[in-house]
Structures are given as C-alpha cells and as structure tokens.
Amino acid sequence: MENELKKVLKKIGILEKAEELSLDSSQDILSKSTTDLQRQLRINDTDARAIIIAASKEAYDWRLREKTGHELIQHDLNSLTTNDATIDKVLNGGISLGKITEIVGESSSGKSQLALQLCLTAQKPISEGGLEGSAVYIHSEGPFPSARLDQLVSSYPSSQQQELKNHIYTIRVNDSEEQYRLLSYQLPAFLLQQKKARKRVRVVVIDSISAIYRSEPTSTDRRFSKMREICEIGSRLKKMASQYDVAIVAINQVSDVPTKDNNPNTDQLEHWIDFRLINNKENNHMIGLYIQSLLKKPVLGLSWSNSINTRIRLARSPMLDGMATRRVLFMEFSPKAPRLGCEIIIDDSGVHARD
C-alpha cells in the first residue's frame, strides 16, 4: 500500500475495507470513478475525491518531470499531422509534440472540429504523419460531440472505424475544482499508466480550457484565485506535455474588446497588418471579411497566454442571411512557424484548406 494513500484511507477509517475489496494500489483506485468508490466503500463524495487525489499523487511522481540538458537537446521534435497538407504547411509540419497549442476563435469557427480531427490523425500510421497512438478528449461545454465524430470516422475504412472511436478517451468536467483536479493529478497519472500501452496517448484535447471559468460567478477574491489557478494549470500542462511527449491542445474562447464608437484602435489593427493567406492572393481584400472576428481577444488573459507555446487563430466572416460563411486558420504565434494562414472549409470529412 502506498504511504500517501494509506494515510488517507486510515484517516477516513476504511483501510481494512479497501484491502478486502482489493483496492490496495493507486492503479486500482484510479480505475474507479468517485461514484464507484462511494458505492463500494460506502463513503461520501468528499472522501471519494480525497482518495482519488491521494492515489493520483502516488501514481505520478512529479520528480519524474525533470530532464537533463542532454535529454532536452535530444527531444523528439516530431509533429502531428492535421490530415491536410496546406494546413500542415501553415503550421510548419503540424501540431508540435511536447508543447501546448491553443486553438482560439469565436463560436462556429471550427475549433472543436479541428480538435476531433486531431484525435483521429493521432492514430494514423507514422508513415502517414500520424503517431500510432490514442487521444484524450476533455470536454466541459455540453455532451461530447459523438455524432460529429461518427461523421468524421465514416470517411475511414469500415474495418477501422470502431477501433478509432475506442481509442479516444472522453472525460467530462463540470466545475473548476473538478477541472483543476483532473488536469493536475488524474491526467498525469493516466498518462503514466498509458505510457506502456500498445497505443499510448499522444494528444490531449481540452475543450475548452476557459468555459468553466466563464460560467462560474466571480467575486474579487475568486478572480485573483482563478488567475493563480490558471497559471498553475498552465505550468503543469507544459511540464506534462514535455515529460510524456504529448501534444496538449487547449481550445479557448474569445470576447469582444471594448472600443470607442465601435472603431478599433490602431494597436488592434496593427496586430493583423501582416495578415497573409497562402491559398488566396487577395490578402488585403480578405482581411476585411475576417477582421471583426480576428479583433476579438482570447479570454483568460496574459496569465494563460504566457503558458502556451503556439496559438492557432480560427476566424470566420459575419454570419449573414444569403451569404456563405467563410473561415480562415492563422498561425498567430509559434516558436517554429511564421505568421501565416489559409482559408479553410468544413465538410463531412473534417477541416481542410480551400483549394
């Protein structure tokens, strides 16, 4: 029995009962949900969560996150394909492993669509730009989009479709406390457990990192607490991505920027003065379609922005009656790729660059 876990079980007074039920290791505990533990051990929700946290800490030793200088130099710089050659070109090879990539944009811009697509491409053979791995999809905005996943999977051979869905592990979070516990303790424990699996986890999607915080009431004290929590989550995700060589893909929302007389200021416009699309020569004309969407700012502020390595901006034209909505993907910042974009379309098979 692990020391930390044993202390918690003793404190609650269920050590012997846990051993009788063969719940005598972190791995056994983490294979159960809080509901399972409540039912089997006859405890309340608070005690069940305390046991899972203790098991997570035991299963994942944070000292393992440290790397030597040589290991950092030898770090595998492979990327995950998006399954589209033009988008991969914009991203200079695809989504980086060992890093945090943020996909940000307003609603209906294609964020979740692209994230689901990455969960499938992660399972493709290495020869096709995939990683022959599996994916974790953490969602907080309603139910998991299973109908859309079925639609995307239908473009693959029928013999592969069920296995593709089986290797996407979905987790629902309901509040900020649950999200913090999952990202800080349970997720790293799960990645450690999966490290020796036939198809180890290679991409983790968080959809979205900000929805929980925006939906909860915020007092002044809670606002500062939230900033500290976001900083800590960002730091932990960054170390986790590096330690397990996984791509962390965090979806973020945007909000309007208050302006005088609804006119953007010079600084806001200058940020997009280098707007360029590789699949459309009319760049000066095209930015007018997307500027309203591009000027919206990512939520969570600098405390989160300083944690991410890459930001991919998705934008769309205004949704007007009688006009087709157009979309664009733009590399806003990255250590490995210049600021560049491409027009995209979304169809039954996923997100693709416009021909």
Side-chain angles (χ1 to χ4, degrees):
M1 177 76 72
E2 293 91 335
N3 290 335
E4 184 68 25
L5 181 57
K6 188 173 183 177
K7 289 178 183 177
V8 173
L9 293 173
K10 272 186 175 179
K11 184 177 179 181
I12 298 172
I14 55 169
L15 177 59
E16 291 184 5
K17 189 170 186 178
E19 290 176 337
E20 288 174 8
L21 294 172
S22 297
L23 295 173
D24 53 358
S25 73
S26 296
Q27 286 72 25
D28 293 326
I29 293 290
L30 293 172
S31 68
K32 307 290 184 182
S33 66
T34 54
T35 304
D36 292 334
L37 292 178
Q38 288 178 66
R39 186 180 67 254
Q40 293 181 33
L41 297 173
R42 307 221 173 175
I43 55 178
N44 59 35
D45 180 67
T46 301
D47 288 341
R49 291 176 187 274
I51 291 170
I52 285 181
I53 290 175
S56 299
K57 289 179 178 178
E58 291 289 351
Y60 182 72
D61 186 350
W62 277 99
R63 291 171 296 181
L64 296 175
R65 69 192 182 188
E66 303 297 338
K67 288 189 175 185
T68 65
H70 176 73
E71 287 174 323
L72 290 171
I73 293 171
Q74 298 298 318
H75 182 66
D76 187 0
L77 297 177
N78 283 344
S79 297
L80 167 62
T81 182
T82 62
N83 211 31
D84 184 276
T86 302
I87 297 177
D88 282 351
K89 184 176 180 180
V90 169
L91 304 182
N92 194 21
I95 303 295
S96 296
L97 295 180
K99 309 291 183 185
I100 303 177
T101 297
E102 179 192 67
I103 301 176
V104 64
E106 62 182 323
S107 62
S108 301
S109 58
K111 304 185 298 296
S112 295
Q113 308 261 5
L114 181 57
L116 281 174
Q117 190 164 307
L118 294 173
C119 290
L120 296 176
T121 61
Q123 302 182 53
K124 292 171 73 72
I126 292 174
S127 60
E128 296 178 21
L131 301 169
E132 297 180 0
S134 58
V136 172
Y137 198 104
I138 301 166
H139 58 105
S140 58
E141 297 188 68
F144 176 75
S146 55
R148 179 54 174 153
L149 177 62
D150 288 339
Q151 197 173 36
L152 294 175
V153 166
S154 67
S155 64
Y156 288 78
S158 57
S159 60
Q160 300 177 14
Q161 292 177 11
Q162 190 56 50
E163 185 175 5
L164 285 168
K165 291 190 285 187
N166 289 345
H167 284 95
I168 300 176
Y169 305 100
T170 64
I171 306 170
R172 172 71 187 269
V173 293
N174 299 295
D175 55 49
S176 58
E177 182 182 343
E178 195 172 314
Q179 178 170 279
Y180 176 81
R181 183 168 57 251
L182 172 64
L183 298 180
S184 298
Y185 302 111
Q186 292 171 274
L187 179 59
F190 181 71
L191 293 178
L192 178 65
Q193 187 182 48
Q194 287 287 309
K195 200 169 184 179
K196 296 179 181 179
R198 182 177 64 87
K199 295 184 72 171
R200 58 180 285 205
V201 173
R202 303 314 307 272
V203 61
V204 174
V205 171
I206 307 168
D207 185 8
S208 73
I209 190 70
S210 54
I212 289 292
Y213 296 111
R214 298 188 80 185
S215 65
E216 294 181 343
T218 305
S219 62
T220 302
D221 290 342
R222 175 56 185 151
R223 189 177 297 115
F224 288 110
S225 173
K226 181 180 77 172
M227 289 173 63
R228 288 194 299 271
E229 188 174 295
I230 291 168
C231 284
E232 183 177 349
I233 286 176
S235 176
R236 286 178 179 269
L237 287 175
K238 213 166 191 176
K239 290 165 183 172
M240 198 187 312
S242 175
Q243 177 65 39
Y244 291 108
D245 201 27
V246 299
I248 303 285
V249 178
I251 293 175
N252 197 6
Q253 301 172 340
V254 293
S255 62
D256 292 321
V257 178
T259 58
K260 185 177 181 180
D261 300 324
N262 292 321
N263 293 317
N265 61 44
T266 304
D267 290 341
Q268 290 174 297
L269 293 172
E270 283 184 348
H271 183 67
W272 297 104
I273 199 168
D274 60 348
F275 182 85
R276 187 165 68 89
L277 306 177
I278 62 174
N279 58 348
N280 195 307
K281 296 180 180 179
E282 300 178 1
N283 290 299
N284 290 334
H285 168 69
M286 295 304 297
I287 192 172
L289 274 176
Y290 303 112
I291 193 64
Q292 183 178 332
S293 184
L294 291 169
L295 289 178
K296 295 179 186 291
K297 67 174 183 179
V299 300
L300 299 186
L302 286 175
S303 54
W304 168 253
S305 295
N306 290 334
S307 299
I308 63 178
N309 303 100
T310 295
R311 171 173 288 159
I312 299 171
R313 173 78 70 141
L314 293 181
R316 59 169 173 80
S317 62
M319 302 178 78
L320 303 173
D321 291 340
M323 288 185 62
T325 302
R326 300 179 70 166
R327 296 175 174 84
V328 68
L329 178 150
F330 195 85
M331 178 66 89
E332 190 165 343
F333 63 76
S334 170
K336 71 168 191 173
R339 283 169 59 88
L340 188 64
C342 65
E343 267 206 284
I344 58 173
I345 59 171
I346 300 174
D347 58 23
D348 289 350
S349 62
V351 180
H352 313 284
R354 184 183 289 274
D355 293 332

